[in-house]
Amino acid sequence: MSKSKTNKLKILNDPIYGLVSIPNSLIFDIIEHKYFQRLRRISQMGLTNLVYPGAHHTRFHHAIGCMHLMQKAIQALRLKDIHISEDESTALCIAILLHDIGHGAFSHALEYSIVNGITHEEISLFFMKELNKEFKGKLSLAIEIFEGKYERTFFHQLISSQLDIDRLDYLQRDSFYTGVAEGNISSDRLIAMMNVKNDELVIEEKGIYSVEKFLIARRLMYWQVYLHKTSLSAESLLVRILQRAKLLTKEGNTIPANTALSYFLKTPIDRNNFNLETLKMFAKLDDYDVLSAIKEWCSNEDFVLSKLSQMLINRKLLKLDLQRKPFSESYKNKIEAKVKKKLGERASDLSCFVFEDRVSNQAYNKKKPIKILTKKGKLKDIAKASDNLNIETLSVPVVKYYYCYPKNFALI
């Protein structure tokens, strides 16, 4: 049977949206490609399932959901006499489908641990350009839109802005899988309120309350889910486990891992040397490889690597204190003294078990405003159009400091 006959249009069943259609055979072929199928093995929310047990959904789920919402957005805009050609429609769907293809194992948790100084967006673009070669240039328009180089500015805003298709899906999806109702938004309502004015993506005035709810939901999800204390602790452990494995490998130790993970343990990768060979290795690496290696490292002869690995696998995580101001030196010295005493002759490894950092969140950035289209045809920043004073407050970055250390100081 020829490929064209087997490549018929398909529908998928999504727990949030119901039936999701794949619009054409090109998009079907992209979804079937091994680079995209890898997203089935990349968790959407890193180690958040250690807090919310239902959060086992993947980047594959998210990408398919985004494609579905993009189709709805295109349909909504066309109903308002905004011309979008079939080629543009396909390109928009491809761009949003592939916008996260550059995520590595455990998504954001290891973004700068597997490779350094290169973002997942840059790796996504690398993947898209390689796929474009395989598909004989059929992704060129999607790449142009993804990079923000296409003449119709609002196309890129649908992919990446403060009210883009990406955020509309992940907030609703993450809320669903974690069971955190505060993050639930009405993507249908927001999409129905979309319009275009002066080549900008805008929201009609009657959708203003939906935008307010969206921004508040985003803030609540960040502090309640994405930056939850236990998630931060687990992901900090994961980062330090990879750092330790890389250090031991650099010192000449043999650290058991499969081919793809070994490549990144042995080879320092950054923006300057990320090439086609690296991309192919990156495409072979997923959550399963990292987790399998960490299970093996639980019995490693290196005390730090084995102890950190055991903590993560057995969910005996480091305690994490979180507050709005930096921790005092007396507070830190007191904890460090107790941990040093427990470590004894291994006191030089203190920084592997006791460390500090900070996180920040800005629910709304006024430098890239969400524009409200008034009934008189004028454009206003949501912060000025809204009578909700919280919107101004949400534009102020919130910084919190955290300090990690072993619970009960029981290391051995």
Side-chain angles (χ1 to χ4, degrees), residues 76 79 89 97 116 137 168 221 250 267 284 290 368 377 382 393:
L79 286 172
S89 174
L97 190 71
N116 300 307
L168 290 184
M221 283 293 283
K250 186 179 179 181
T267 315
K284 292 178 180 179
V290 174
K368 299 177 181 179
I382 179 68
T393 306

Side-chain angles (χ1 to χ4, degrees), residues 28 38 40 112 127 181 216 240 277 289 301 305 309 370 375 387 400 402:
F28 178 86
R38 165 184 160 272
R40 292 182 184 272
Y112 298 106
F127 270 119
I216 292 167
R240 276 157 181 78
E277 180 196 4
D289 303 312
E301 60 184 18
L305 183 62
S309 298
I370 296 172
K375 291 174 183 176
D387 56 8
K400 291 187 180 181
Y402 67 86

Side-chain angles (χ1 to χ4, degrees), residues 48-65:
T48 305
N49 63 78
L50 293 180
V51 186
Y52 299 100
H56 275 288
H57 55 302
T58 66
R59 287 280 156 188
F60 185 91
H61 289 114
H62 170 54
I64 296 294

Side-chain angles (χ1 to χ4, degrees), residues 243-255 265-268:
Q243 287 174 344
R244 187 67 177 187
K246 280 187 173 183
L247 176 65
L248 293 170
T249 303
K250 186 179 179 181
E251 291 175 349
N253 297 283
T254 302
I255 304 300
L265 293 179
K266 293 173 183 175
T267 315

Side-chain angles (χ1 to χ4, degrees), residues 216-269:
I216 292 167
R218 190 165 181 268
R219 176 187 175 275
L220 293 173
M221 283 293 283
Y222 265 86
W223 292 119
Q224 197 167 334
V225 178
Y226 306 128
L227 299 176
H228 189 284
K229 289 201 318 181
T230 306
S231 294
L232 287 175
S233 175
E235 292 179 1
S236 296
L237 263 182
L238 183 58
V239 168
R240 276 157 181 78
I241 289 168
L242 265 291
Q243 287 174 344
R244 187 67 177 187
K246 280 187 173 183
L247 176 65
L248 293 170
T249 303
K250 186 179 179 181
E251 291 175 349
N253 297 283
T254 302
I255 304 300
N258 70 4
T259 306
L261 183 54
S262 290
Y263 175 87
F264 289 100
L265 293 179
K266 293 173 183 175
T267 315
I269 299 292

Side-chain angles (χ1 to χ4, degrees), residues 245-302:
K246 280 187 173 183
L247 176 65
L248 293 170
T249 303
K250 186 179 179 181
E251 291 175 349
N253 297 283
T254 302
I255 304 300
N258 70 4
T259 306
L261 183 54
S262 290
Y263 175 87
F264 289 100
L265 293 179
K266 293 173 183 175
T267 315
I269 299 292
D270 57 28
R271 184 183 286 107
N272 297 320
N273 66 343
F274 194 101
N275 53 30
L276 183 56
E277 180 196 4
T278 309
L279 186 77
K280 288 180 176 178
M281 280 296 181
F282 191 87
K284 292 178 180 179
L285 188 67
D286 55 49
D287 291 13
Y288 298 175
D289 303 312
V290 174
L291 206 55
S292 177
I294 292 173
K295 285 172 67 180
E296 185 72 21
W297 298 342
C298 285
S299 55
N300 193 274
E301 60 184 18
D302 179 72

Side-chain angles (χ1 to χ4, degrees), residues 16-17 69 72 163 167-169 171-173 175 181-194 203 207 209-215 217:
I16 298 169
Y17 309 125
L69 292 186
K72 297 187 84 165
L163 188 54
R167 294 184 185 191
L168 290 184
D169 181 80
L171 278 176
Q172 199 169 357
R173 189 168 300 279
S175 168
E182 289 83 354
N184 193 19
I185 58 166
S186 174
S187 57
D188 281 350
R189 172 74 176 165
L190 286 162
I191 287 171
M193 293 298 104
M194 285 181 176
I203 300 293
Y209 300 119
S210 298
V211 177
E212 288 177 3
K213 185 177 186 299
F214 163 81
L215 292 173

Side-chain angles (χ1 to χ4, degrees), residues 262-361:
S262 290
Y263 175 87
F264 289 100
L265 293 179
K266 293 173 183 175
T267 315
I269 299 292
D270 57 28
R271 184 183 286 107
N272 297 320
N273 66 343
F274 194 101
N275 53 30
L276 183 56
E277 180 196 4
T278 309
L279 186 77
K280 288 180 176 178
M281 280 296 181
F282 191 87
K284 292 178 180 179
L285 188 67
D286 55 49
D287 291 13
Y288 298 175
D289 303 312
V290 174
L291 206 55
S292 177
I294 292 173
K295 285 172 67 180
E296 185 72 21
W297 298 342
C298 285
S299 55
N300 193 274
E301 60 184 18
D302 179 72
F303 170 77
V304 173
L305 183 62
S306 64
K307 188 57 67 176
L308 293 178
S309 298
Q310 288 167 31
M311 286 178 172
L312 188 66
I313 293 297
N314 300 321
R315 201 185 177 278
K316 303 298 182 186
L317 306 175
L318 295 171
K319 183 173 175 57
L320 186 142
D321 290 339
L322 186 71
Q323 62 184 39
R324 285 180 174 258
K325 57 184 181 180
F327 290 88
S328 67
E329 290 303 314
S330 59
Y331 162 90
K332 292 188 286 188
N333 290 340
K334 185 178 178 182
I335 290 174
E336 286 179 13
K338 288 183 179 180
V339 179
K340 276 183 180 178
K341 188 175 179 181
K342 280 287 182 182
L343 284 169
E345 61 183 21
R346 299 191 180 95
S348 59
D349 293 323
L350 178 71
S351 62
C352 297
F353 299 97
V354 180
F355 51 86
E356 62 182 321
D357 208 337
R358 66 179 190 172
V359 289
S360 65
N361 175 239

